[in-house]
Amino acid sequence: RMPGSNCTQATEFILAGFTEAPATQVAQFLLFLLTYLITILGNLGMIALIRVSPLLHSPMYYFLGNLAFVNLCTPTIITPRMLAGVLLGKKRITYAGCMAQVFAFDLFGMAECFLLATMAYDRYVAVCHPLLYPLVMSPERCSRLVTGSYLLGLTNGVGQTISMSSLLFCGSSAIDLFFCDISLLISLSTSDTTLSLSILRTSSSLLGVPSILVVLGSYVAIISTVLSISSAEDKRKAFSTCAFHLTTVSTFYGSLMFMYLIPRSDTSRGGDKWAAVLYTVVTPMLNPFIYSLRNQEVKEAWRRLRKIK
């Protein structure tokens, strides 16, 4: 698609959100506000607990602390702006604000993919090669893995934002979602989107796919190792160390695949909003609880902290 001769670059976009019904909007505002507050408290609490509790000073919780940080950032990019839109009725977002959302969302989204892959690898080493675990997952290597996750996320964010900056947006500037999603923005552009689509697909292939393969490969090896254990109690312990992470991975990647990989017509994309809610709002809220409700080490850390106080 080529821009028209009298095309003027859009200076703002309209975020459609969910509904125009006032009563529903009030319920929606309260629900998302409560979810966001729980997300902030839950993830900040997890980060603080991991920092102050010696019991949780291990590679698994170091990675979990960084996941909690990402889970703070992702909804903060989106939810306050969405809440302001519902409360004040302002659905417009500036072009610069939209590009900032694209950059930050792609940065932290890709960083989370690699953090989840790193956590899967950590569980693989712990279950399949326990004697080598202290050597393989040394503090220096853990730090490099986390730094690499953020740098790959930054690379993704910069690349996607640069590709978006060359696009023109004329005519309809309504985004049928509650935040600036890059795939919807590309579909709205009136200029040639070949380069932007190529960068998006290349990034997904070179960055997203390997992280998924690491997760899958790690859990295939873990399951194979656990099934070969003769003791039922040892099997239960091995599976329990992975169950929390596997729940997080399933929710995160499942909603992403529904959002971006399942083909559908433009008239049947209503479920996309709820898939987006799942991985941008709900999953960051649930993660601290997934890792704490049945995790004995986290429970013990909370008990010790309360005794000190």
Side-chain angles (χ1 to χ4, degrees), residues 35-110:
T35 301
Y36 182 60
L37 291 176
I38 294 173
T39 300
I40 296 298
L41 293 174
N43 285 288
L44 279 178
M46 183 62 73
I47 292 170
L49 181 65
I50 290 170
R51 288 184 66 88
V52 302
S53 175
L55 187 65
L56 304 182
H57 289 176
S58 66
M60 183 176 79
Y61 293 105
Y62 173 64
F63 298 138
L64 179 56
N66 281 277
L67 180 65
F69 171 71
V70 171
N71 286 163
L72 275 175
C73 295
T74 302
T76 299
I77 297 162
I78 295 167
T79 308
R81 174 66 187 75
M82 178 179 63
L83 290 173
V86 174
L87 184 65
L88 305 175
K90 295 181 179 179
K91 296 192 173 184
R92 297 180 182 273
I93 182 171
T94 64
Y95 176 86
C98 203
M99 293 302 105
Q101 274 197 347
V102 168
F103 169 75
F105 186 72
D106 286 353
L107 189 165
F108 290 113
M110 189 59 71

Side-chain angles (χ1 to χ4, degrees), residues 7-217:
C7 174
T8 302
Q9 174 73 315
T11 58
E12 61 183 16
F13 297 94
I14 299 171
L15 298 175
F18 290 93
T19 178
E20 296 289 344
T24 309
Q25 282 189 330
V26 171
Q28 176 189 321
F29 174 83
L30 294 174
L31 178 62
F32 281 114
L33 177 61
L34 178 62
T35 301
Y36 182 60
L37 291 176
I38 294 173
T39 300
I40 296 298
L41 293 174
N43 285 288
L44 279 178
M46 183 62 73
I47 292 170
L49 181 65
I50 290 170
R51 288 184 66 88
V52 302
S53 175
L55 187 65
L56 304 182
H57 289 176
S58 66
M60 183 176 79
Y61 293 105
Y62 173 64
F63 298 138
L64 179 56
N66 281 277
L67 180 65
F69 171 71
V70 171
N71 286 163
L72 275 175
C73 295
T74 302
T76 299
I77 297 162
I78 295 167
T79 308
R81 174 66 187 75
M82 178 179 63
L83 290 173
V86 174
L87 184 65
L88 305 175
K90 295 181 179 179
K91 296 192 173 184
R92 297 180 182 273
I93 182 171
T94 64
Y95 176 86
C98 203
M99 293 302 105
Q101 274 197 347
V102 168
F103 169 75
F105 186 72
D106 286 353
L107 189 165
F108 290 113
M110 189 59 71
E112 182 164 1
C113 286
F114 278 96
L115 281 174
L116 290 173
T118 299
M119 293 172 76
Y121 176 71
D122 172 72
R123 293 300 83 204
Y124 158 74
V125 178
V127 173
C128 301
H129 305 284
L131 297 179
L132 295 175
Y133 185 80
L135 178 64
V136 175
M137 303 306 294
S138 64
E140 295 79 13
R141 178 164 294 178
C142 292
S143 179
R144 286 198 296 269
L145 287 169
V146 168
T147 301
S149 297
Y150 289 123
L151 287 177
L152 288 167
L154 180 62
T155 301
N156 183 56
V158 169
Q160 304 292 5
T161 308
I162 290 175
S163 76
M164 292 299 301
S165 65
S166 63
L167 297 181
L168 285 173
F169 297 91
C170 313
S172 174
S173 58
I175 302 172
D176 190 23
L177 205 60
F178 54 93
F179 68 99
C180 292
D181 175 71
I182 188 168
S183 61
L184 290 180
L185 281 169
I186 291 174
S187 69
L188 281 176
S189 176
T190 54
S191 56
D192 185 0
T193 59
T194 304
L195 178 61
S196 296
L197 286 171
S198 297
I199 292 176
L200 182 61
R201 290 165 182 163
T202 301
S203 175
S204 299
S205 301
L206 295 182
L207 298 178
V209 173
S211 68
I212 295 175
L213 292 178
V214 169
V215 172
L216 292 176

Side-chain angles (χ1 to χ4, degrees), residues 198-277:
S198 297
I199 292 176
L200 182 61
R201 290 165 182 163
T202 301
S203 175
S204 299
S205 301
L206 295 182
L207 298 178
V209 173
S211 68
I212 295 175
L213 292 178
V214 169
V215 172
L216 292 176
S218 297
Y219 276 101
V220 168
I222 288 170
I223 292 170
S224 176
T225 300
V226 171
L227 291 178
S228 66
I229 299 174
S230 56
S231 168
E233 179 64 18
D234 289 341
K235 280 185 181 180
R236 187 193 65 78
K237 288 181 179 179
F239 271 127
S240 67
T241 64
C242 306
F244 312 110
H245 178 253
L246 195 55
T247 302
T248 299
V249 166
S250 301
T251 307
F252 180 77
Y253 282 117
S255 55
L256 275 182
M257 285 188 287
F258 180 86
M259 180 77 176
Y260 294 110
L261 298 183
I262 296 177
R264 56 175 68 82
S265 65
D266 291 338
T267 58
S268 63
R269 301 188 68 90
D272 288 2
K273 291 183 181 180
W274 299 109
V277 168

